[in-house]
Amino acid sequence: MVESIVLSGTAMGCIYALVAVTYNVMFSASRVFSFTAGALGMLGGVLGALFIARMGLPVALGLVLVLVGGALLGIVTEIVAVRPVLKSLDQHLYVLSTLALALMIQQFTAIQWSTEPQPFPRLLDITRSEFDQQFWLPMLACAAVIGGLELLYRHTLIGHAFLAIAEDNYAARALGLPERGLRMTSYALAGVIGTLAGFAGGEMLLAFFANAPMLTFYGFVPVALGGMGNNRGAVVAGLLLGLFQQTANFLVGGIFASVAVFTVFIIVLLARPEGLVGAALQRRV
């Protein structure tokens, strides 16, 4: 039983961490907290089931199409829900614009796909075991994304440009960096990461439109606990969240597990508003 809790908790934690990284990648490029991250995760599972199970496409081709769809939705998010808000003096309207887009995606998926959870296909034709692919695929995806982002940000010119606009977009613009193009590229990258989360965790989450609000919240918790924009902190907090949630499901189950997560989340934020691994906020006086 302990082994099952650890495996499922770690796998779910990796999914939450990937959604949290999706939040961070979008936030770092625009200083906008886009609530479409959960919808991207949901679409990763739905599109994967559509392309592979219903249309019969090979797994590799289905994965590519899912990631391309996520990138396109990320670009649409930047154009439709983010860019108009950045021109407004009342920039907190992004809460409404991105949430409205996320709800539209969720409802459209429910209408076109199904309102009932649908099975997600097994991606690899291998024998089931205790350490099954439904557990290690999210772990592998999380490790690949974090490793890839580290290489991108620290060892490539475009990665340095991303860091520049994240640090000070006005200064980056003054230096001649194409802020709009970089922001759009960053949202496309976030779309790829978000849909990869849902695709890799499809066997655990199933293809279900209601995964969107669940991933929106549980993906936000690692961001808050790990520190805004801190991908490593998001991974640590995501793993802790997954393990705690699965333990609570075993001990109390049902809605009481969610109440336990909410309670601990609030207590931690009251004790450390900057997050578990975030730097303490400083104020110039």
Side-chain angles (χ1 to χ4, degrees), residues 46-147:
V46 170
L47 292 178
L50 172 64
F51 293 139
I52 299 173
R54 289 196 179 180
M55 299 178 63
L57 297 179
V59 172
L61 179 57
L63 172 59
V64 170
L65 292 177
V66 167
L67 300 184
V68 170
L72 292 175
L73 183 55
I75 293 173
V76 170
T77 300
E78 194 277 333
I79 295 173
V80 173
V82 174
R83 189 180 301 176
V85 175
L86 294 178
K87 300 177 182 178
S88 171
L89 293 177
D90 202 9
Q91 290 192 7
H92 67 272
L93 288 175
Y94 71 79
V95 174
L96 297 177
S97 62
T98 59
L99 185 58
L101 179 59
L103 290 174
M104 290 172 61
I105 294 169
Q106 178 185 342
Q107 295 306 312
F108 180 79
T109 303
I111 294 171
Q112 296 297 324
W113 175 249
S114 174
T115 56
E116 298 295 328
Q118 301 296 315
F120 190 85
R122 282 185 65 80
L123 300 178
L124 301 175
D125 187 16
I126 56 179
T127 305
R128 290 184 181 272
S129 63
E130 291 185 2
F131 188 44
D132 195 54
Q133 60 179 293
Q134 64 177 318
F135 301 126
W136 59 259
L137 279 176
M139 301 176 194
L140 178 63
C142 186
V145 166
I146 296 301

Side-chain angles (χ1 to χ4, degrees), residues 116-260:
E116 298 295 328
Q118 301 296 315
F120 190 85
R122 282 185 65 80
L123 300 178
L124 301 175
D125 187 16
I126 56 179
T127 305
R128 290 184 181 272
S129 63
E130 291 185 2
F131 188 44
D132 195 54
Q133 60 179 293
Q134 64 177 318
F135 301 126
W136 59 259
L137 279 176
M139 301 176 194
L140 178 63
C142 186
V145 166
I146 296 301
L149 288 178
E150 288 291 319
L151 291 175
L152 173 68
Y153 287 146
R154 304 195 182 280
H155 299 288
T156 67
L157 289 177
I158 190 172
H160 293 159
F162 283 144
L163 293 177
I165 64 171
E167 183 69 24
D168 190 334
N169 60 350
Y170 294 105
R173 192 185 311 159
L175 291 174
L177 292 177
E179 180 200 4
R180 178 176 294 183
L182 288 171
R183 188 173 64 239
M184 188 179 298
T185 303
S186 188
Y187 269 74
L189 176 61
V192 169
I193 296 171
T195 48
L196 178 61
F199 185 88
E203 285 194 64
M204 298 189 70
L205 297 175
L206 303 179
F208 189 30
F209 83 102
N211 285 335
M214 183 270 291
L215 291 175
T216 296
F217 173 75
Y218 285 115
F220 169 77
V221 173
V223 175
L225 297 183
M228 190 75 73
N230 187 339
N231 289 335
R232 295 178 183 177
V235 173
V236 173
L239 292 174
L240 292 175
L241 171 63
L243 290 169
F244 179 80
Q245 182 194 39
Q246 294 304 310
T247 302
N249 279 333
F250 172 71
L251 294 177
V252 295
I255 191 172
F256 297 105
S258 298
V259 172

